Amino acid sequence: TEASFINARENLDVVNNQGVSDLDGAELKARFAKQDLQKYLKGDYPKELKEAQNRITVAEEEVRRAEEKRDWSKVLFGERYLSESEYEGDVLAAQKARLDQELAQSNLQLLKTYTYARKLAELESEVKQSKLAFERARRKARANSVQADADLRAKESEFKREKEKLEKIQGQLAKTKIHAPTEGLVIYSTTAAGSWRGNAEPLAAGQDVKERQEIIYLPRASQMQAEVKIHESSLDKVKVGLSATITVDSRPGKVYTGKVASISPLPDATSMWLNSDLKLYKTIIHIDGDGSDLRTGMSCRAEILVQEFAQTLFVPVQAVVKRDGKEVVYVGRNGKMRQVEIGLDNDIMVQITKGLVSGDMVSLTPPLAGDGAY
């Protein structure tokens, strides 16, 4: 494309120069044609006309002299001073002079009637044709120049696109080198990701990857995070920035602290595939401090602190049931139903804000009739 661009640029100069040359040649021919017409009208024709008239004058003088000599020869022939052949020669000379006179007059008539008109028409046509040729040359030169300029712009645009494409490819090639920011362990994303079909193989040479596809992990013990899944019913309680405690099965007795960093806007696809009614949202918790004793892929459990109360009343969640759209508990040994108002819960205990006092005995096995347990 660069060679085509250079060729188009040089071709534009050649076309413009050729156009100037053609215009100069056509203009010169038009000027010469006009000069030839003026030359004929003011020079050649008057000269030819005068020469024809002079030949007539000379012929008339020759006729006069020949006739005088013939007449004198006739007198001398009658008196026997000239021979008959000499007399006949003078008669023939007089006739020839008369014919030359008539021929000169005919030539003058032809010059005025035919030759002048034809020559004038030819020269005028030549002037007109040369003007038309000049106009054609001018239009052709302009059209060729416009065409060459358009071709140059097209080649230049194509050349720029190819340069940008080349620069993009060079940039892409440069980005194919991935540099680790720190020292550490490299883990294939396929190794860390579980699958119901079994473990996926690591990336192979020549394998295609998609945009934003996870390829490798660079786990750093100094900065660890926990990935947990929250049920859709608890999403309104969890917010980014809330504190959390994490326990790891392989590290019994040790509790880690952290904060909620992000909550996925979409439910986990794997959980939905296994159970379409189960909506779990991936939540990332950044763990505080040094996690050098942790390893990627370990199982953990997280408790997110939604709200703290210095003193509050709570009961097991199974003790609260709904009757006619209201929350109730069954109090005492006789199981007397009492309406209550509830607050937050953690799937184990539920807060009671009204309806009970500390020390009340509630039933953990309330009747199942009605709307069902809370």
Side-chain angles (χ1 to χ4, degrees):
T1 55
E2 183 179 10
S4 299
F5 166 64
I6 295 175
N7 182 61
R9 185 177 60 192
E10 298 300 326
N11 181 65
L12 177 61
D13 294 336
V14 172
V15 168
N16 289 335
N17 291 337
Q18 184 64 44
V20 173
S21 177
D22 293 343
L23 282 176
D24 291 342
E27 184 180 10
L28 187 63
K29 288 183 179 180
R31 187 165 67 248
F32 284 170
K34 189 175 182 180
Q35 290 178 355
D36 290 342
L37 176 61
Q38 297 298 324
K39 176 175 174 290
Y40 179 74
L41 291 176
K42 297 181 179 181
D44 293 344
Y45 175 67
K47 178 183 177 183
E48 293 175 357
L49 182 62
K50 184 175 292 185
E51 289 177 349
Q53 291 174 346
N54 290 337
R55 283 194 292 271
I56 293 175
T57 302
V58 172
E60 290 176 348
E61 183 63 23
E62 292 292 336
V63 168
R64 185 183 65 78
R65 292 181 179 181
E67 288 180 349
E68 288 180 353
K69 185 177 180 181
R70 182 200 60 190
D71 294 340
W72 181 246
S73 296
K74 183 178 180 181
V75 174
L76 293 177
F77 175 69
E79 296 179 357
R80 305 294 181 182
Y81 288 107
L82 289 178
S83 62
E84 183 177 1
S85 59
E86 291 177 334
Y87 171 67
E88 290 177 355
D90 292 338
V91 173
L92 291 175
Q95 292 176 353
K96 182 178 181 303
R98 177 62 64 181
L99 290 174
D100 290 341
Q101 179 189 10
E102 293 175 358
L103 180 60
Q105 291 175 347
S106 297
N107 289 336
L108 177 61
Q109 187 65 27
L110 288 173
L111 177 63
K112 291 181 178 180
T113 306
Y114 299 105
T115 305
Y116 170 74
R118 179 175 179 177
K119 189 67 175 178
L120 181 62
E122 289 179 354
L123 294 174
E124 289 177 344
S125 177
E126 185 67 24
V127 171
K128 183 177 180 180
Q129 292 298 326
S130 62
K131 289 182 179 180
L132 294 176
F134 173 75
E135 183 63 22
R136 286 196 301 271
R138 186 178 64 83
R139 292 177 179 270
K140 183 179 179 181
R142 183 171 59 186
N144 290 341
S145 178
V146 171
Q147 179 64 34
D149 184 64
D151 184 64
L152 174 61
R153 291 199 301 270
K155 292 295 190 298
E156 183 179 11
S157 178
E158 184 179 1
F159 175 51
K160 288 182 178 179
R161 287 197 302 268
E162 291 299 327
K163 282 184 64 178
E164 293 174 355
K165 183 178 179 181
L166 176 61
E167 292 173 357
K168 181 179 179 181
I169 292 175
Q170 290 173 342
Q172 290 175 342
L173 288 175
K175 293 176 182 177
T176 57
K177 294 182 179 180
I178 303 176
H179 301 274
T182 59
E183 296 182 356
L185 181 66
V186 177
I187 300 177
Y188 285 105
S189 61
T190 53
T191 304
S195 173
W196 65 273
R197 296 181 179 179
N199 292 331
E201 293 295 329
L203 289 175
Q207 183 176 343
D208 292 335
V209 294
K210 301 183 292 294
E211 184 179 3
R212 299 187 182 279
Q213 176 181 341
E214 294 181 347
I215 302 176
I216 60 174
Y217 295 141
L218 299 175
R220 289 184 290 179
S222 60
Q223 295 180 355
M224 298 296 289
Q225 65 183 26
E227 178 184 311
V228 298
K229 294 180 175 62
I230 297 179
H231 193 271
E232 59 180 333
S233 61
S234 300
L235 282 179
D236 58 341
K237 305 174 186 177
V238 180
K239 301 291 187 295
V240 174
L242 292 180
S243 299
T245 58
I246 302 99
T247 57
V248 182
D249 295 344
S250 60
R251 299 289 184 269
K254 187 170 184 179
V255 178
Y256 301 88
T257 61
K259 291 185 180 297
V260 176
S262 64
I263 303 173
S264 175
L266 299 175
D268 181 63
T270 304
S271 302
M272 289 182 60
W273 185 85
L274 295 173
N275 184 358
S276 60
D277 295 329
L278 182 63
K279 303 296 191 302
L280 300 178
Y281 290 79
K282 183 189 297 185
T283 302
I284 302 299
I285 301 174
H286 287 175
I287 299 176
D288 300 330
D290 184 12
S292 58
D293 57 338
L294 299 176
R295 293 292 181 269
T296 300
M298 286 183 171
S299 300
C300 69
R301 176 180 177 83
E303 292 185 359
I304 300 175
L305 184 60
V306 176
Q307 191 172 352
E308 284 187 290
F309 298 95
Q311 186 176 3
T312 187
L313 190 67
F314 59 91
V315 298
V317 293
Q318 66 266 31
V320 182
V321 294
K322 279 192 176 182
R323 294 289 185 268
D324 299 326
K326 299 178 181 179
E327 287 80 11
V328 298
V329 297
Y330 289 85
V331 182
R333 296 184 181 276
N334 296 328
K336 184 178 180 181
M337 185 176 67
R338 184 183 300 179
Q339 182 179 347
V340 295
E341 293 181 4
I342 63 174
L344 297 176
D345 72 273
N346 61 0
D347 296 334
I348 299 175
M349 296 293 178
V350 59
Q351 182 186 19
I352 303 297
T353 60
K354 188 176 180 181
L356 292 178
V357 295
S358 179
D360 286 340
M361 182 181 297
V362 297
S363 175
L364 297 181
T365 58
L368 298 178
D371 296 337
Y374 175 76

